[in-house]
Amino acid sequence: MTPDKLKAILADHALWLHDEGGKRADLQEADLQEADLQWAFLRGANLRGANLQGVNLRGANLEGADFRWANLSGARLSGAILDEARFAGAKLHGAYLNGVNWEGVELSGVDLSAAKLNGAN
């Protein structure tokens, strides 16, 4: 996905979140490998089955986002807000999850091998 297309999707998503038109971000099965989404506001976004290998999601608001079956190997999620996010079947091998709060997060079948979990709850 091109950076311009991603930027447009995020702008539409922001409008949708504020009830000002736009539409929910549908990034299902999108290839976002190595994207820089630090501090992104993706609350409620659909990222099911997306390729998020190495993506930077530090400090991002991912509350209620759907990451089921997504590949987040090596992703950086330190400081991200994950309340009520769904990760069932997701691949988080080698992901950076330092300080992440997992309360209320769906984690069934998640691969957390080699993940960095320092200070995670």
Side-chain angles (χ1 to χ4, degrees):
M1 176 172 299
T2 68
D4 287 338
K5 184 173 181 178
L6 180 57
K7 188 176 180 178
I9 289 170
L10 294 175
D12 273 351
H13 187 70
L15 291 172
W16 175 77
L17 286 170
H18 293 100
D19 230 4
E20 297 174 359
K23 64 181 180 179
R24 176 182 179 217
D26 185 359
L27 296 163
Q28 183 168 332
E29 298 184 11
D31 185 359
L32 300 172
Q33 190 170 346
E34 301 294 332
D36 186 1
L37 295 170
Q38 185 171 353
W39 304 109
F41 202 73
L42 286 165
R43 183 169 48 96
N46 179 11
L47 293 138
R48 189 175 185 163
N51 179 4
L52 299 160
Q53 290 180 336
V55 71
N56 180 5
L57 286 163
R58 287 181 290 188
N61 184 332
L62 307 170
E63 183 179 352
D66 186 352
F67 290 97
R68 289 177 289 176
W69 304 107
N71 184 351
L72 292 117
S73 295
R76 296 174 303 280
L77 291 123
S78 299
I81 300 168
L82 301 176
D83 301 355
E84 306 300 320
R86 293 173 286 175
F87 284 91
K91 195 175 197 180
L92 287 156
H93 175 80
Y96 296 85
L97 303 160
N98 299 321
V100 169
N101 182 2
W102 292 105
E103 192 171 334
V105 176
E106 181 186 330
L107 292 170
S108 59
V110 171
D111 174 8
L112 287 167
S113 59
K116 282 65 170 175
L117 295 160
N118 294 334
N121 177 15

mmCIF file with all atom_site columns, all heavy atoms in Angstrom, residues 51-76:
data_model
loop_
_atom_site.group_PDB
_atom_site.id
_atom_site.type_symbol
_atom_site.label_atom_id
_atom_site.label_alt_id
_atom_site.label_comp_id
_atom_site.label_asym_id
_atom_site.label_entity_id
_atom_site.label_seq_id
_atom_site.pdbx_PDB_ins_code
_atom_site.Cartn_x
_atom_site.Cartn_y
_atom_site.Cartn_z
_atom_site.occupancy
_atom_site.B_iso_or_equiv
_atom_site.pdbx_formal_charge
_atom_site.auth_seq_id
_atom_site.auth_comp_id
_atom_site.auth_asym_id
_atom_site.auth_atom_id
_atom_site.pdbx_PDB_model_num
ATOM 1   N N   . ASN A 1 51 ? -0.482  -7.766  6.924  1.00 0.00 ? 51 ASN A N   1
ATOM 2   C CA  . ASN A 1 51 ? 0.951   -7.985  7.089  1.00 0.00 ? 51 ASN A CA  1
ATOM 3   C C   . ASN A 1 51 ? 1.521   -6.729  7.748  1.00 0.00 ? 51 ASN A C   1
ATOM 4   O O   . ASN A 1 51 ? 1.670   -5.697  7.104  1.00 0.00 ? 51 ASN A O   1
ATOM 5   C CB  . ASN A 1 51 ? 1.639   -8.236  5.753  1.00 0.00 ? 51 ASN A CB  1
ATOM 6   C CG  . ASN A 1 51 ? 3.138   -8.437  5.913  1.00 0.00 ? 51 ASN A CG  1
ATOM 7   O OD1 . ASN A 1 51 ? 3.663   -8.470  7.011  1.00 0.00 ? 51 ASN A OD1 1
ATOM 8   N ND2 . ASN A 1 51 ? 3.829   -8.555  4.799  1.00 0.00 ? 51 ASN A ND2 1
ATOM 9   N N   . LEU A 1 52 ? 1.809   -6.838  9.043  1.00 0.00 ? 52 LEU A N   1
ATOM 10  C CA  . LEU A 1 52 ? 2.312   -5.718  9.821  1.00 0.00 ? 52 LEU A CA  1
ATOM 11  C C   . LEU A 1 52 ? 3.716   -6.016  10.352 1.00 0.00 ? 52 LEU A C   1
ATOM 12  O O   . LEU A 1 52 ? 4.120   -5.505  11.383 1.00 0.00 ? 52 LEU A O   1
ATOM 13  C CB  . LEU A 1 52 ? 1.351   -5.419  10.974 1.00 0.00 ? 52 LEU A CB  1
ATOM 14  C CG  . LEU A 1 52 ? -0.063  -5.027  10.546 1.00 0.00 ? 52 LEU A CG  1
ATOM 15  C CD1 . LEU A 1 52 ? -1.054  -5.212  11.670 1.00 0.00 ? 52 LEU A CD1 1
ATOM 16  C CD2 . LEU A 1 52 ? -0.086  -3.606  10.035 1.00 0.00 ? 52 LEU A CD2 1
ATOM 17  N N   . GLN A 1 53 ? 4.464   -6.821  9.621  1.00 0.00 ? 53 GLN A N   1
ATOM 18  C CA  . GLN A 1 53 ? 5.822   -7.174  10.045 1.00 0.00 ? 53 GLN A CA  1
ATOM 19  C C   . GLN A 1 53 ? 6.674   -5.921  10.171 1.00 0.00 ? 53 GLN A C   1
ATOM 20  O O   . GLN A 1 53 ? 6.758   -5.120  9.236  1.00 0.00 ? 53 GLN A O   1
ATOM 21  C CB  . GLN A 1 53 ? 6.476   -8.117  9.043  1.00 0.00 ? 53 GLN A CB  1
ATOM 22  C CG  . GLN A 1 53 ? 5.890   -9.490  9.028  1.00 0.00 ? 53 GLN A CG  1
ATOM 23  C CD  . GLN A 1 53 ? 6.589   -10.375 8.008  1.00 0.00 ? 53 GLN A CD  1
ATOM 24  O OE1 . GLN A 1 53 ? 7.175   -9.915  7.038  1.00 0.00 ? 53 GLN A OE1 1
ATOM 25  N NE2 . GLN A 1 53 ? 6.512   -11.674 8.220  1.00 0.00 ? 53 GLN A NE2 1
ATOM 26  N N   . GLY A 1 54 ? 7.275   -5.762  11.355 1.00 0.00 ? 54 GLY A N   1
ATOM 27  C CA  . GLY A 1 54 ? 8.184   -4.646  11.572 1.00 0.00 ? 54 GLY A CA  1
ATOM 28  C C   . GLY A 1 54 ? 7.533   -3.276  11.639 1.00 0.00 ? 54 GLY A C   1
ATOM 29  O O   . GLY A 1 54 ? 8.225   -2.271  11.686 1.00 0.00 ? 54 GLY A O   1
ATOM 30  N N   . VAL A 1 55 ? 6.216   -3.210  11.666 1.00 0.00 ? 55 VAL A N   1
ATOM 31  C CA  . VAL A 1 55 ? 5.528   -1.918  11.687 1.00 0.00 ? 55 VAL A CA  1
ATOM 32  C C   . VAL A 1 55 ? 5.769   -1.207  13.022 1.00 0.00 ? 55 VAL A C   1
ATOM 33  O O   . VAL A 1 55 ? 5.932   -1.833  14.059 1.00 0.00 ? 55 VAL A O   1
ATOM 34  C CB  . VAL A 1 55 ? 4.009   -2.092  11.414 1.00 0.00 ? 55 VAL A CB  1
ATOM 35  C CG1 . VAL A 1 55 ? 3.295   -2.737  12.578 1.00 0.00 ? 55 VAL A CG1 1
ATOM 36  C CG2 . VAL A 1 55 ? 3.352   -0.790  11.050 1.00 0.00 ? 55 VAL A CG2 1
ATOM 37  N N   . ASN A 1 56 ? 5.831   0.110   12.986 1.00 0.00 ? 56 ASN A N   1
ATOM 38  C CA  . ASN A 1 56 ? 6.005   0.915   14.189 1.00 0.00 ? 56 ASN A CA  1
ATOM 39  C C   . ASN A 1 56 ? 4.629   1.405   14.635 1.00 0.00 ? 56 ASN A C   1
ATOM 40  O O   . ASN A 1 56 ? 4.045   2.281   14.010 1.00 0.00 ? 56 ASN A O   1
ATOM 41  C CB  . ASN A 1 56 ? 6.920   2.104   13.903 1.00 0.00 ? 56 ASN A CB  1
ATOM 42  C CG  . ASN A 1 56 ? 7.126   2.978   15.124 1.00 0.00 ? 56 ASN A CG  1
ATOM 43  O OD1 . ASN A 1 56 ? 6.677   2.676   16.227 1.00 0.00 ? 56 ASN A OD1 1
ATOM 44  N ND2 . ASN A 1 56 ? 7.811   4.094   14.926 1.00 0.00 ? 56 ASN A ND2 1
ATOM 45  N N   . LEU A 1 57 ? 4.128   0.825   15.733 1.00 0.00 ? 57 LEU A N   1
ATOM 46  C CA  . LEU A 1 57 ? 2.843   1.221   16.313 1.00 0.00 ? 57 LEU A CA  1
ATOM 47  C C   . LEU A 1 57 ? 3.032   1.745   17.735 1.00 0.00 ? 57 LEU A C   1
ATOM 48  O O   . LEU A 1 57 ? 2.099   1.744   18.533 1.00 0.00 ? 57 LEU A O   1
ATOM 49  C CB  . LEU A 1 57 ? 1.882   0.032   16.315 1.00 0.00 ? 57 LEU A CB  1
ATOM 50  C CG  . LEU A 1 57 ? 1.302   -0.356  14.962 1.00 0.00 ? 57 LEU A CG  1
ATOM 51  C CD1 . LEU A 1 57 ? 0.724   -1.758  15.000 1.00 0.00 ? 57 LEU A CD1 1
ATOM 52  C CD2 . LEU A 1 57 ? 0.236   0.646   14.536 1.00 0.00 ? 57 LEU A CD2 1
ATOM 53  N N   . ARG A 1 58 ? 4.238   2.219   18.037 1.00 0.00 ? 58 ARG A N   1
ATOM 54  C CA  . ARG A 1 58 ? 4.497   2.737   19.381 1.00 0.00 ? 58 ARG A CA  1
ATOM 55  C C   . ARG A 1 58 ? 3.565   3.898   19.692 1.00 0.00 ? 58 ARG A C   1
ATOM 56  O O   . ARG A 1 58 ? 3.421   4.826   18.898 1.00 0.00 ? 58 ARG A O   1
ATOM 57  C CB  . ARG A 1 58 ? 5.945   3.182   19.518 1.00 0.00 ? 58 ARG A CB  1
ATOM 58  C CG  . ARG A 1 58 ? 6.899   2.009   19.588 1.00 0.00 ? 58 ARG A CG  1
ATOM 59  C CD  . ARG A 1 58 ? 8.316   2.461   19.754 1.00 0.00 ? 58 ARG A CD  1
ATOM 60  N NE  . ARG A 1 58 ? 8.723   3.088   18.487 1.00 0.00 ? 58 ARG A NE  1
ATOM 61  C CZ  . ARG A 1 58 ? 9.948   3.469   18.211 1.00 0.00 ? 58 ARG A CZ  1
ATOM 62  N NH1 . ARG A 1 58 ? 10.888  3.339   19.099 1.00 0.00 ? 58 ARG A NH1 1
ATOM 63  N NH2 . ARG A 1 58 ? 10.242  3.997   17.047 1.00 0.00 ? 58 ARG A NH2 1
ATOM 64  N N   . GLY A 1 59 ? 2.912   3.794   20.868 1.00 0.00 ? 59 GLY A N   1
ATOM 65  C CA  . GLY A 1 59 ? 2.031   4.862   21.329 1.00 0.00 ? 59 GLY A CA  1
ATOM 66  C C   . GLY A 1 59 ? 0.730   4.979   20.568 1.00 0.00 ? 59 GLY A C   1
ATOM 67  O O   . GLY A 1 59 ? -0.058  5.890   20.825 1.00 0.00 ? 59 GLY A O   1
ATOM 68  N N   . ALA A 1 60 ? 0.451   4.070   19.652 1.00 0.00 ? 60 ALA A N   1
ATOM 69  C CA  . ALA A 1 60 ? -0.778  4.148   18.846 1.00 0.00 ? 60 ALA A CA  1
ATOM 70  C C   . ALA A 1 60 ? -2.006  3.770   19.676 1.00 0.00 ? 60 ALA A C   1
ATOM 71  O O   . ALA A 1 60 ? -1.928  2.963   20.598 1.00 0.00 ? 60 ALA A O   1
ATOM 72  C CB  . ALA A 1 60 ? -0.673  3.222   17.639 1.00 0.00 ? 60 ALA A CB  1
ATOM 73  N N   . ASN A 1 61 ? -3.138  4.356   19.346 1.00 0.00 ? 61 ASN A N   1
ATOM 74  C CA  . ASN A 1 61 ? -4.399  3.978   19.977 1.00 0.00 ? 61 ASN A CA  1
ATOM 75  C C   . ASN A 1 61 ? -5.030  2.896   19.109 1.00 0.00 ? 61 ASN A C   1
ATOM 76  O O   . ASN A 1 61 ? -5.528  3.172   18.020 1.00 0.00 ? 61 ASN A O   1
ATOM 77  C CB  . ASN A 1 61 ? -5.335  5.175   20.112 1.00 0.00 ? 61 ASN A CB  1
ATOM 78  C CG  . ASN A 1 61 ? -6.612  4.822   20.847 1.00 0.00 ? 61 ASN A CG  1
ATOM 79  O OD1 . ASN A 1 61 ? -7.073  3.678   20.828 1.00 0.00 ? 61 ASN A OD1 1
ATOM 80  N ND2 . ASN A 1 61 ? -7.208  5.806   21.497 1.00 0.00 ? 61 ASN A ND2 1
ATOM 81  N N   . LEU A 1 62 ? -5.001  1.665   19.612 1.00 0.00 ? 62 LEU A N   1
ATOM 82  C CA  . LEU A 1 62 ? -5.499  0.500   18.883 1.00 0.00 ? 62 LEU A CA  1
ATOM 83  C C   . LEU A 1 62 ? -6.687  -0.124  19.613 1.00 0.00 ? 62 LEU A C   1
ATOM 84  O O   . LEU A 1 62 ? -7.017  -1.288  19.412 1.00 0.00 ? 62 LEU A O   1
ATOM 85  C CB  . LEU A 1 62 ? -4.377  -0.524  18.716 1.00 0.00 ? 62 LEU A CB  1
ATOM 86  C CG  . LEU A 1 62 ? -3.087  0.040   18.099 1.00 0.00 ? 62 LEU A CG  1
ATOM 87  C CD1 . LEU A 1 62 ? -1.962  -0.968  18.193 1.00 0.00 ? 62 LEU A CD1 1
ATOM 88  C CD2 . LEU A 1 62 ? -3.329  0.482   16.673 1.00 0.00 ? 62 LEU A CD2 1
ATOM 89  N N   . GLU A 1 63 ? -7.342  0.662   20.441 1.00 0.00 ? 63 GLU A N   1
ATOM 90  C CA  . GLU A 1 63 ? -8.463  0.188   21.235 1.00 0.00 ? 63 GLU A CA  1
ATOM 91  C C   . GLU A 1 63 ? -9.548  -0.416  20.335 1.00 0.00 ? 63 GLU A C   1
ATOM 92  O O   . GLU A 1 63 ? -10.001 0.214   19.379 1.00 0.00 ? 63 GLU A O   1
ATOM 93  C CB  . GLU A 1 63 ? -9.048  1.352   22.034 1.00 0.00 ? 63 GLU A CB  1
ATOM 94  C CG  . GLU A 1 63 ? -10.169 0.987   22.949 1.00 0.00 ? 63 GLU A CG  1
ATOM 95  C CD  . GLU A 1 63 ? -10.679 2.194   23.711 1.00 0.00 ? 63 GLU A CD  1
ATOM 96  O OE1 . GLU A 1 63 ? -10.072 3.284   23.642 1.00 0.00 ? 63 GLU A OE1 1
ATOM 97  O OE2 . GLU A 1 63 ? -11.704 2.034   24.379 1.00 0.00 ? 63 GLU A OE2 1
ATOM 98  N N   . GLY A 1 64 ? -9.911  -1.667  20.631 1.00 0.00 ? 64 GLY A N   1
ATOM 99  C CA  . GLY A 1 64 ? -10.972 -2.337  19.886 1.00 0.00 ? 64 GLY A CA  1
ATOM 100 C C   . GLY A 1 64 ? -10.615 -2.707  18.452 1.00 0.00 ? 64 GLY A C   1
ATOM 101 O O   . GLY A 1 64 ? -11.465 -3.143  17.696 1.00 0.00 ? 64 GLY A O   1
ATOM 102 N N   . ALA A 1 65 ? -9.358  -2.549  18.065 1.00 0.00 ? 65 ALA A N   1
ATOM 103 C CA  . ALA A 1 65 ? -8.946  -2.893  16.691 1.00 0.00 ? 65 ALA A CA  1
ATOM 104 C C   . ALA A 1 65 ? -8.924  -4.412  16.519 1.00 0.00 ? 65 ALA A C   1
ATOM 105 O O   . ALA A 1 65 ? -8.736  -5.163  17.464 1.00 0.00 ? 65 ALA A O   1
ATOM 106 C CB  . ALA A 1 65 ? -7.577  -2.300  16.381 1.00 0.00 ? 65 ALA A CB  1
ATOM 107 N N   . ASP A 1 66 ? -9.137  -4.855  15.291 1.00 0.00 ? 66 ASP A N   1
ATOM 108 C CA  . ASP A 1 66 ? -9.188  -6.279  14.970 1.00 0.00 ? 66 ASP A CA  1
ATOM 109 C C   . ASP A 1 66 ? -7.897  -6.689  14.259 1.00 0.00 ? 66 ASP A C   1
ATOM 110 O O   . ASP A 1 66 ? -7.680  -6.336  13.104 1.00 0.00 ? 66 ASP A O   1
ATOM 111 C CB  . ASP A 1 66 ? -10.390 -6.556  14.075 1.00 0.00 ? 66 ASP A CB  1
ATOM 112 C CG  . ASP A 1 66 ? -10.615 -8.032  13.802 1.00 0.00 ? 66 ASP A CG  1
ATOM 113 O OD1 . ASP A 1 66 ? -9.755  -8.867  14.168 1.00 0.00 ? 66 ASP A OD1 1
ATOM 114 O OD2 . ASP A 1 66 ? -11.658 -8.346  13.200 1.00 0.00 ? 66 ASP A OD2 1
ATOM 115 N N   . PHE A 1 67 ? -7.046  -7.436  14.989 1.00 0.00 ? 67 PHE A N   1
ATOM 116 C CA  . PHE A 1 67 ? -5.775  -7.927  14.455 1.00 0.00 ? 67 PHE A CA  1
ATOM 117 C C   . PHE A 1 67 ? -5.804  -9.444  14.288 1.00 0.00 ? 67 PHE A C   1
ATOM 118 O O   . PHE A 1 67 ? -4.751  -10.063 14.163 1.00 0.00 ? 67 PHE A O   1
ATOM 119 C CB  . PHE A 1 67 ? -4.629  -7.575  15.411 1.00 0.00 ? 67 PHE A CB  1
ATOM 120 C CG  . PHE A 1 67 ? -4.298  -6.121  15.460 1.00 0.00 ? 67 PHE A CG  1
ATOM 121 C CD1 . PHE A 1 67 ? -4.807  -5.318  16.462 1.00 0.00 ? 67 PHE A CD1 1
ATOM 122 C CD2 . PHE A 1 67 ? -3.460  -5.560  14.516 1.00 0.00 ? 67 PHE A CD2 1
ATOM 123 C CE1 . PHE A 1 67 ? -4.486  -3.970  16.526 1.00 0.00 ? 67 PHE A CE1 1
ATOM 124 C CE2 . PHE A 1 67 ? -3.137  -4.211  14.565 1.00 0.00 ? 67 PHE A CE2 1
ATOM 125 C CZ  . PHE A 1 67 ? -3.656  -3.418  15.578 1.00 0.00 ? 67 PHE A CZ  1
ATOM 126 N N   . ARG A 1 68 ? -6.987  -10.045 14.293 1.00 0.00 ? 68 ARG A N   1
ATOM 127 C CA  . ARG A 1 68 ? -7.048  -11.502 14.191 1.00 0.00 ? 68 ARG A CA  1
ATOM 128 C C   . ARG A 1 68 ? -6.334  -11.969 12.927 1.00 0.00 ? 68 ARG A C   1
ATOM 129 O O   . ARG A 1 68 ? -6.530  -11.429 11.852 1.00 0.00 ? 68 ARG A O   1
ATOM 130 C CB  . ARG A 1 68 ? -8.500  -11.976 14.201 1.00 0.00 ? 68 ARG A CB  1
ATOM 131 C CG  . ARG A 1 68 ? -9.138  -11.801 15.584 1.00 0.00 ? 68 ARG A CG  1
ATOM 132 C CD  . ARG A 1 68 ? -10.563 -12.200 15.589 1.00 0.00 ? 68 ARG A CD  1
ATOM 133 N NE  . ARG A 1 68 ? -11.333 -11.205 14.831 1.00 0.00 ? 68 ARG A NE  1
ATOM 134 C CZ  . ARG A 1 68 ? -12.631 -11.313 14.586 1.00 0.00 ? 68 ARG A CZ  1
ATOM 135 N NH1 . ARG A 1 68 ? -13.307 -12.341 15.010 1.00 0.00 ? 68 ARG A NH1 1
ATOM 136 N NH2 . ARG A 1 68 ? -13.246 -10.372 13.904 1.00 0.00 ? 68 ARG A NH2 1
ATOM 137 N N   . TRP A 1 69 ? -5.470  -12.976 13.130 1.00 0.00 ? 69 TRP A N   1
ATOM 138 C CA  . TRP A 1 69 ? -4.689  -13.625 12.067 1.00 0.00 ? 69 TRP A CA  1
ATOM 139 C C   . TRP A 1 69 ? -3.709  -12.691 11.367 1.00 0.00 ? 69 TRP A C   1
ATOM 140 O O   . TRP A 1 69 ? -3.160  -13.016 10.327 1.00 0.00 ? 69 TRP A O   1
ATOM 141 C CB  . TRP A 1 69 ? -5.606  -14.319 11.065 1.00 0.00 ? 69 TRP A CB  1
ATOM 142 C CG  . TRP A 1 69 ? -6.493  -15.290 11.761 1.00 0.00 ? 69 TRP A CG  1
ATOM 143 C CD1 . TRP A 1 69 ? -7.828  -15.141 12.000 1.00 0.00 ? 69 TRP A CD1 1
ATOM 144 C CD2 . TRP A 1 69 ? -6.130  -16.520 12.369 1.00 0.00 ? 69 TRP A CD2 1
ATOM 145 N NE1 . TRP A 1 69 ? -8.299  -16.215 12.729 1.00 0.00 ? 69 TRP A NE1 1
ATOM 146 C CE2 . TRP A 1 69 ? -7.270  -17.083 12.964 1.00 0.00 ? 69 TRP A CE2 1
ATOM 147 C CE3 . TRP A 1 69 ? -4.923  -17.203 12.484 1.00 0.00 ? 69 TRP A CE3 1
ATOM 148 C CZ2 . TRP A 1 69 ? -7.250  -18.278 13.647 1.00 0.00 ? 69 TRP A CZ2 1
ATOM 149 C CZ3 . TRP A 1 69 ? -4.913  -18.406 13.168 1.00 0.00 ? 69 TRP A CZ3 1
ATOM 150 C CH2 . TRP A 1 69 ? -6.073  -18.921 13.737 1.00 0.00 ? 69 TRP A CH2 1
ATOM 151 N N   . ALA A 1 70 ? -3.433  -11.521 11.950 1.00 0.00 ? 70 ALA A N   1
ATOM 152 C CA  . ALA A 1 70 ? -2.448  -10.596 11.376 1.00 0.00 ? 70 ALA A CA  1
ATOM 153 C C   . ALA A 1 70 ? -1.033  -11.044 11.723 1.00 0.00 ? 70 ALA A C   1
ATOM 154 O O   . ALA A 1 70 ? -0.811  -11.727 12.716 1.00 0.00 ? 70 ALA A O   1
ATOM 155 C CB  . ALA A 1 70 ? -2.688  -9.183  11.899 1.00 0.00 ? 70 ALA A CB  1
ATOM 156 N N   . ASN A 1 71 ? -0.089  -10.655 10.893 1.00 0.00 ? 71 ASN A N   1
ATOM 157 C CA  . ASN A 1 71 ? 1.322   -10.955 11.141 1.00 0.00 ? 71 ASN A CA  1
ATOM 158 C C   . ASN A 1 71 ? 1.990   -9.686  11.654 1.00 0.00 ? 71 ASN A C   1
ATOM 159 O O   . ASN A 1 71 ? 2.231   -8.755  10.900 1.00 0.00 ? 71 ASN A O   1
ATOM 160 C CB  . ASN A 1 71 ? 2.007   -11.447 9.873  1.00 0.00 ? 71 ASN A CB  1
ATOM 161 C CG  . ASN A 1 71 ? 3.443   -11.870 10.119 1.00 0.00 ? 71 ASN A CG  1
ATOM 162 O OD1 . ASN A 1 71 ? 3.993   -11.650 11.193 1.00 0.00 ? 71 ASN A OD1 1
ATOM 163 N ND2 . ASN A 1 71 ? 4.051   -12.467 9.125  1.00 0.00 ? 71 ASN A ND2 1
ATOM 164 N N   . LEU A 1 72 ? 2.266   -9.666  12.968 1.00 0.00 ? 72 LEU A N   1
ATOM 165 C CA  . LEU A 1 72 ? 2.923   -8.536  13.601 1.00 0.00 ? 72 LEU A CA  1
ATOM 166 C C   . LEU A 1 72 ? 4.331   -8.911  14.068 1.00 0.00 ? 72 LEU A C   1
ATOM 167 O O   . LEU A 1 72 ? 4.848   -8.348  15.023 1.00 0.00 ? 72 LEU A O   1
ATOM 168 C CB  . LEU A 1 72 ? 2.085   -8.048  14.795 1.00 0.00 ? 72 LEU A CB  1
ATOM 169 C CG  . LEU A 1 72 ? 0.753   -7.403  14.423 1.00 0.00 ? 72 LEU A CG  1
ATOM 170 C CD1 . LEU A 1 72 ? -0.390  -8.190  14.982 1.00 0.00 ? 72 LEU A CD1 1
ATOM 171 C CD2 . LEU A 1 72 ? 0.706   -5.982  14.880 1.00 0.00 ? 72 LEU A CD2 1
ATOM 172 N N   . SER A 1 73 ? 4.956   -9.852  13.396 1.00 0.00 ? 73 SER A N   1
ATOM 173 C CA  . SER A 1 73 ? 6.305   -10.280 13.769 1.00 0.00 ? 73 SER A CA  1
ATOM 174 C C   . SER A 1 73 ? 7.255   -9.083  13.738 1.00 0.00 ? 73 SER A C   1
ATOM 175 O O   . SER A 1 73 ? 7.313   -8.350  12.755 1.00 0.00 ? 73 SER A O   1
ATOM 176 C CB  . SER A 1 73 ? 6.816   -11.352 12.805 1.00 0.00 ? 73 SER A CB  1
ATOM 177 O OG  . SER A 1 73 ? 6.031   -12.513 12.909 1.00 0.00 ? 73 SER A OG  1
ATOM 178 N N   . GLY A 1 74 ? 7.960   -8.889  14.840 1.00 0.00 ? 74 GLY A N   1
ATOM 179 C CA  . GLY A 1 74 ? 8.917   -7.798  14.922 1.00 0.00 ? 74 GLY A CA  1
ATOM 180 C C   . GLY A 1 74 ? 8.303   -6.419  15.028 1.00 0.00 ? 74 GLY A C   1
ATOM 181 O O   . GLY A 1 74 ? 9.015   -5.416  15.002 1.00 0.00 ? 74 GLY A O   1
ATOM 182 N N   . ALA A 1 75 ? 6.981   -6.328  15.156 1.00 0.00 ? 75 ALA A N   1
ATOM 183 C CA  . ALA A 1 75 ? 6.315   -5.023  15.265 1.00 0.00 ? 75 ALA A CA  1
ATOM 184 C C   . ALA A 1 75 ? 6.673   -4.358  16.587 1.00 0.00 ? 75 ALA A C   1
ATOM 185 O O   . ALA A 1 75 ? 6.965   -5.020  17.577 1.00 0.00 ? 75 ALA A O   1
ATOM 186 C CB  . ALA A 1 75 ? 4.801   -5.190  15.154 1.00 0.00 ? 75 ALA A CB  1
ATOM 187 N N   . ARG A 1 76 ? 6.636   -3.049  16.596 1.00 0.00 ? 76 ARG A N   1
ATOM 188 C CA  . ARG A 1 76 ? 6.934   -2.277  17.803 1.00 0.00 ? 76 ARG A CA  1
ATOM 189 C C   . ARG A 1 76 ? 5.633   -1.663  18.313 1.00 0.00 ? 76 ARG A C   1
ATOM 190 O O   . ARG A 1 76 ? 5.113   -0.726  17.719 1.00 0.00 ? 76 ARG A O   1
ATOM 191 C CB  . ARG A 1 76 ? 7.986   -1.225  17.479 1.00 0.00 ? 76 ARG A CB  1
ATOM 192 C CG  . ARG A 1 76 ? 9.307   -1.875  17.070 1.00 0.00 ? 76 ARG A CG  1
ATOM 193 C CD  . ARG A 1 76 ? 10.371  -0.894  16.598 1.00 0.00 ? 76 ARG A CD  1
ATOM 194 N NE  . ARG A 1 76 ? 10.021  -0.028  15.486 1.00 0.00 ? 76 ARG A NE  1
ATOM 195 C CZ  . ARG A 1 76 ? 10.044  -0.388  14.197 1.00 0.00 ? 76 ARG A CZ  1
ATOM 196 N NH1 . ARG A 1 76 ? 10.356  -1.617  13.851 1.00 0.00 ? 76 ARG A NH1 1
ATOM 197 N NH2 . ARG A 1 76 ? 9.742   0.473   13.251 1.00 0.00 ? 76 ARG A NH2 1
#
